[in-house]
């Protein structure tokens, strides 16, 4: 399938373009205005490099060593030493999509004309993305201040033809060999270029944008799961009525409640326990448990938090994060100035907020699931949804799996961004830990998808057990998706782990959401 190249210009890349490059392998190209901006900034750097006045990042050392003036003949070595020494990561390799995201975002900052790199250096970074060459970046090394120094340095090292990379097929090869195979030549970094390549929040930002994309899908999927649970537990949909949501006007809550109402529309199971002349009054219970009744309040608050995070991410995508930066006036005259824009606090905070969101949405999902399994609370369903309770355990241990994950998500919700630690001889004495916040958020999002998948799996079994009453068309389509994917309905115990993993795949791919939307249209 052909895919149009992503244009990287002076302005920000979009969420959608980042996902296409990071996950779908889209090629990139620099626009003419970006190349012109790069050239203008480079002219400023070269003029300063030729002068006698020391300029930080151009003719001095770095960090706590910034007071040393570096003579011209040693500046190429200065750049090589910077990148080699800062490529100090340790631990497992970071995922390909994360590395591609951070490379794209570094390229986006280079394209603003604020960093002072040469045109060829920016172009080589674009070429690596286009050819699917992915530098090996390690799990540990970033403090999220002066940006993601170690991860970005591993990428800069590859531009120099050093270190290891994964080629387009995923094979581990020396960077020099991968460049040669693609017909690319390594660069010898010139003044200012080393700092420009490594001084950014690109890793944590890339992970934030991808987490937002995942959570937007997962929160709608959680609405699907909640609707299946309310329906399967003979709950009422009256509490989701728009007039009740309007008196507490949180936008996410209204959207989630509207989704639940749409998902449950036309359910014979729901209709079976209504009474009154218009069949609109729920007759069995005065109130459902919080995990059912308050699903829109929790899912809605999660949505609003995700959208706040998206606002922050949008601002960061529009930023030129480097230190020092090149400032060019309308007359073409320029200067280089130090700043603190590399500090990851704005990104780190929302990464931590989203870990809280993932933990709480998973927690309420697990509570809804547990209610199916307790015959004292499930309104006529067999214990643990077992075929022959006592001989069979049904979904008893599936809930254990959920509980294990939820407990882990609570630990991951402890913020990383409050855990500053000093470095660089106290020059960098307050850091964001944004990279760490992003790494744990990825685990949180994965855990949330697994908890929701178990709820969908369990709710589908319960809906089958309500026969001959039928679920709504939308939730029934989800049940049919599971059954057509090899996940059997109620019956004697069988190996449950493969069914859980199959359900996880259907949730993570968006198939569960798509099944419901195929009946009622796009959820909000």
């Amino acid at each position: 399938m052909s895919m149009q190249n992503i244009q990287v210009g002076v302005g920000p890349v979009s969420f959608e373009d980042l996902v296409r490059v990071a996950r779908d392998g889209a090629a990139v190209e620099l626009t003419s205005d970006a190349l012109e901006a790069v050239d203008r900034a480079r002219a400023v750097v070269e003029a300063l490099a030729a002068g006698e006045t020391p300029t930080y990042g151009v003719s001095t050392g770095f960090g706590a060593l910034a007071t040393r003036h570096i003579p011209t003949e040693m500046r190429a070595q200065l750049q090589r030493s910077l990148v080699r020494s800062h490529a100090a990561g340790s631990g497992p390799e970071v995922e390909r999509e994360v590395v591609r995201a951070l490379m794209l975002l570094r390229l986006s900052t280079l394209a603003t004309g604020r960093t002072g790199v040469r045109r060829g250096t920016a172009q080589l970074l674009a070429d690596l993305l286009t050819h699917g060459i992915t530098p090996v970046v390690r799990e540990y090394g970033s403090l999220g201040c002066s940006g993601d120094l170690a991860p970005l340095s591993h990428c800069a090292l590859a531009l120099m033809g050093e270190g290891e990379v994964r080629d387009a097929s995923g094979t581990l090869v020396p960077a020099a060999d991968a460049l040669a195979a693609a017909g690319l030549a390594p660069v010898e970094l010139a003044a200012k270029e080393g700092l420009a390549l490594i001084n950014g929040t690109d890793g944590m930002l890339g992970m934030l944008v991808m987490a937002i994309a995942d959570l937007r899908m997962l929160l709608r999927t959680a609405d699907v799961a909640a609707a299946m649970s309310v329906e399967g537990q003979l709950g009422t949909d009256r509490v989701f009525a728009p007039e009740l949501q309007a008196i507490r006007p949180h936008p996410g809550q209204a959207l989630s409640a509207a989704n639940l109402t749409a998902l449950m529309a036309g359910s014979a199971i729901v209709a079976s326990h209504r009474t009154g002349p218009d069949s609109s009054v729920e007759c069995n219970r005065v109130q459902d448990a919080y995990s059912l009744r308050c699903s829109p309040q929790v899912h809605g608050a999660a949505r609003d938090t995700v959208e706040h995070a998206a606002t922050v991410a949008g601002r960061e995508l529009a930023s030129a994060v480097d230190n020092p930066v090149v400032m060019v006036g309308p007359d073409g005259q320029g200067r280089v100035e130090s700043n603190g824009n590399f500090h990851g606090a704005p990104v780190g905070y929302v990464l931590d907020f989203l870990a809280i969101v993932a933990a709480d949405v998973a927690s309420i999902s697990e509570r809804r699931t547990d209610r199916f399994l307790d015959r004292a609370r499930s309104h006529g369903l067999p214990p643990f949804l077992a075929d022959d309770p006592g001989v069979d355990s049904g979904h008893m241990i599936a809930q254990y799996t959920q509980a294990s994950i939820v407990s882990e998500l609570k630990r991951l919700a402890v913020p990383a961004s409050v855990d500053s630690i000093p470095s660089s001889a106290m020059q960098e004495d307050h850091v964001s830990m944004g990279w760490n916040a992003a790494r744990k958020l990825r685990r949180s999002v994965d855990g949330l998808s697994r908890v929701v998948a178990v709820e969908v799996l369990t709710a589908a079994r319960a809906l089958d057990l309500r026969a001959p009453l039928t679920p709504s068309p939308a939730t029934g389509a989800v049940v049919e998706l599971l059954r057509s994917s090899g996940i059997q309905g109620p019956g004697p115990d069988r190996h449950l782990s493969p069914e859980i993993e199959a359900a996880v795949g259907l949730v993570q791919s968006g198939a569960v959401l798509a099944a419901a939307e195929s009946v009622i249209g796009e959820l909000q």
Side-chain angles (χ1 to χ4, degrees):
M1 182 180 68
S2 63
M3 183 179 296
Q4 186 176 4
N5 289 0
I6 299 302
Q7 303 288 307
V8 179
V10 176
V13 298
S14 68
F15 281 47
E16 294 76 16
D17 284 351
L18 185 143
V19 171
R20 286 181 58 204
V21 171
R23 292 183 165 165
D24 302 334
V28 302
E29 57 183 85
L30 290 160
T31 63
S32 58
D33 63 334
L35 292 171
E36 291 168 4
V38 166
D39 291 343
R40 285 194 298 271
R42 185 63 200 173
V44 172
V45 169
E46 290 182 351
L48 291 169
E52 295 184 1
T53 304
T55 302
Y56 177 66
V58 176
S59 54
T60 71
F62 310 110
L65 304 177
T67 56
R68 180 178 174 184
H69 181 256
I70 308 298
T72 304
E73 64 273 12
M74 295 182 66
R75 289 177 190 170
Q77 179 62 36
L78 171 69
Q79 302 304 313
R80 287 193 296 272
S81 295
L82 173 71
V83 172
R84 288 169 176 167
S85 65
H86 285 49
S90 181
E93 291 183 41
V94 170
E95 304 85 354
R96 179 177 187 267
E97 67 176 28
V98 172
V99 181
R100 286 183 62 83
L102 74 88
M103 291 167 69
L104 174 67
L105 293 175
R106 183 67 341 213
L107 180 64
S108 181
T109 282
L110 300 183
T112 64
R114 297 289 188 185
T115 70
V117 299
R118 294 168 298 169
R119 175 184 290 222
T121 302
Q123 184 60 56
L124 183 57
L125 184 55
D127 291 339
L128 259 62
L129 285 166
T130 295
H131 285 87
I133 298 170
T134 307
V136 171
V137 172
R138 302 290 177 183
E139 179 82 16
Y140 303 108
S142 175
L143 299 180
C145 203
S146 287
D148 293 316
L149 285 174
L152 284 162
S153 294
H154 281 269
C155 295
L157 197 67
L159 297 180
M160 294 164 49
E162 301 182 18
E164 291 183 314
V165 301
R166 297 276 177 183
D167 65 16
S169 70
T171 303
L172 185 66
V173 296
D177 294 351
L179 290 174
L184 303 173
V187 297
E188 181 173 332
L189 299 180
K192 177 65 173 66
E193 289 191 304
L195 271 185
L197 289 170
I198 71 174
N199 222 327
T201 57
D202 309 297
M204 65 182 91
L205 177 59
M207 286 186 273
L208 173 61
V209 171
M210 289 188 287
I212 289 168
D214 291 339
L215 286 167
R216 282 172 166 165
M217 184 273 289
L218 283 174
L219 290 176
R220 286 184 290 159
T221 308
D223 284 346
V224 175
M228 295 172 73
S229 290
V230 173
E231 186 180 20
Q233 293 172 41
L234 306 183
T236 177
D237 59 352
R238 282 295 304 153
V239 293
F240 310 136
E243 62 269 25
L244 295 175
Q245 309 308 312
I247 61 176
R248 194 187 192 196
H250 292 288
Q253 177 180 324
L255 293 174
S256 179
N259 286 344
L260 287 162
T261 298
L263 286 159
M264 296 170 67
S267 169
I269 297 174
V270 173
S272 71
H273 54 90
R274 283 179 173 157
T275 189
D278 60 355
S279 296
S280 63
V281 180
E282 203 279 322
C283 63
N284 288 352
R285 295 179 305 283
V286 175
Q287 294 187 113
D288 291 323
Y290 286 8
S291 61
L292 305 178
R293 187 177 7 140
C294 300
S295 291
Q297 284 74 17
V298 174
H299 294 185
R303 286 166 175 265
D304 292 343
T305 303
V306 169
E307 295 314 308
H308 168 65
T311 298
V312 173
R315 294 170 184 153
E316 194 73 0
L317 287 169
S319 303
V321 178
D322 190 19
N323 180 53
V325 289
V326 179
M327 306 294 288
V328 182
D331 58 358
Q333 297 299 307
R335 64 192 189 279
V336 171
E337 291 202 21
S338 292
N339 66 88
N341 286 336
F342 49 73
H343 199 290
V347 181
Y349 291 164
V350 293
L351 287 162
D352 281 334
F353 294 169
L354 295 185
I356 293 171
V357 161
D360 200 44
V361 174
S363 178
I364 197 171
S365 173
E366 181 274 331
R367 287 293 82 205
R368 290 191 299 259
T369 306
D370 182 67
R371 298 187 70 82
F372 278 122
L373 307 179
D374 182 355
R375 66 178 177 179
R377 295 180 290 149
S378 65
H379 305 283
L381 294 171
F384 302 105
L385 306 185
D387 186 63
D388 184 1
V391 174
D392 294 314
S393 295
H395 278 209
M396 178 191 294
I397 309 303
Q399 182 268 332
Y400 284 34
T401 298
Q402 277 189 318
S404 171
I405 296 169
V406 169
S407 182
E408 173 73 4
L409 295 186
K410 291 174 183 177
R411 292 189 291 274
L412 292 171
V414 175
S417 57
V418 298
D419 189 26
S420 177
I421 192 167
S423 58
S424 192
M426 295 300 284
Q427 174 77 356
E428 298 167 10
D429 58 353
H430 185 84
V431 298
S432 78
M433 304 307 296
W435 172 273
N436 297 59
R439 296 306 294 165
K440 70 184 182 66
L441 177 59
R442 287 178 68 81
R443 292 182 63 193
S444 297
V445 171
D446 177 75
L448 171 60
S449 71
R450 294 175 186 278
V451 171
V452 170
V454 172
E455 182 183 4
V456 169
L457 188 71
T458 304
R461 187 180 181 101
L463 290 173
D464 278 345
L465 289 169
R466 294 295 182 190
L469 294 173
T470 55
S472 77
T475 60
V478 176
V479 176
E480 176 55 32
L481 170 69
L482 267 60
R483 302 295 171 252
S484 65
S485 302
I487 300 172
Q488 300 175 40
D493 282 355
R494 52 191 180 261
H495 187 192
L496 197 52
S497 179
E499 297 192 358
I500 293 173
E501 290 307 297
V504 170
L506 294 172
V507 166
Q508 292 181 343
S509 69
V512 165
L513 179 61
E517 290 184 331
S518 70
V519 176
I520 59 174
E522 187 172 348
L523 294 177
Q524 303 178 68

